């Protein structure tokens, strides 16, 4: 059973509203790379890649905080994860 995960970061703003499905919930300290969850050659993927380049950020990020959320309006449970990206030198 996959886990629905939504992300936020103070390093970059995510413009997608959807969740990403993980086979296992990422834990604090885990490293994730969201690019693999975007469909190839889509505007969403290109936009994400461009923003990462504009902010000089590596695509991998570390999970620094996580909170389980229950969206009563949509009747769904998901994991809200804060990511910390590393700046390129």
């Amino acid at each position: 059973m996959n886990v629905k995960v939504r992300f936020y970061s103070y390093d970059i703003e995510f413009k997608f509203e959807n969740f990403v499905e993980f086979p296992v919930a990422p834990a604090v300290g885990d490293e994730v790379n969201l690019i693999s969850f975007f469909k190839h050659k889509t505007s969403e993927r290109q936009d994400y890649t461009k923003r990462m380049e504009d902010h000089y950020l590596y695509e991998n990020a570390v999970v620094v905080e996580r909170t389980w959320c229950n969206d009563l309006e949509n009747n769904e449970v998901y994991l809200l994860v804060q990511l910390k990206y590393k700046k390129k030198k």
Side-chain angles (χ1 to χ4, degrees):
M1 182 174 134
N2 288 345
V3 177
K4 293 180 181 181
V5 181
R6 290 197 172 128
F7 297 96
Y8 74 97
S9 177
Y10 295 113
D11 300 315
I12 188 169
E13 179 182 347
F14 297 112
K15 294 185 179 180
F16 58 92
E17 297 293 327
N18 299 330
F19 56 83
V20 175
E21 288 195 14
F22 276 80
V24 176
V28 172
D30 284 353
E31 193 171 299
V32 296
N33 187 334
L34 296 182
I35 197 72
S36 59
F37 293 95
F38 293 108
K39 291 182 180 175
H40 189 63
K41 294 186 179 181
T42 61
S43 60
E44 193 174 50
R45 182 180 177 130
Q46 291 170 347
D47 182 49
Y48 176 76
T49 303
K50 173 85 170 101
R51 284 186 288 124
M52 297 301 286
E53 290 172 0
D54 290 347
H55 290 82
Y56 302 102
L57 298 173
Y58 286 105
E59 290 180 358
N60 290 354
V62 175
V63 174
V64 292
E65 188 175 325
R66 57 183 239 156
T67 305
W68 286 101
C69 301
N70 186 1
D71 184 345
L72 298 175
E73 187 175 307
N74 294 320
N75 195 29
E76 70 178 7
V77 175
Y78 62 90
L79 181 63
L80 181 62
V81 172
Q82 180 185 354
L83 298 177
K84 177 69 180 161
Y85 286 87
K86 185 176 177 184
K87 285 254 188 205
K88 294 180 181 179
K89 294 180 181 183

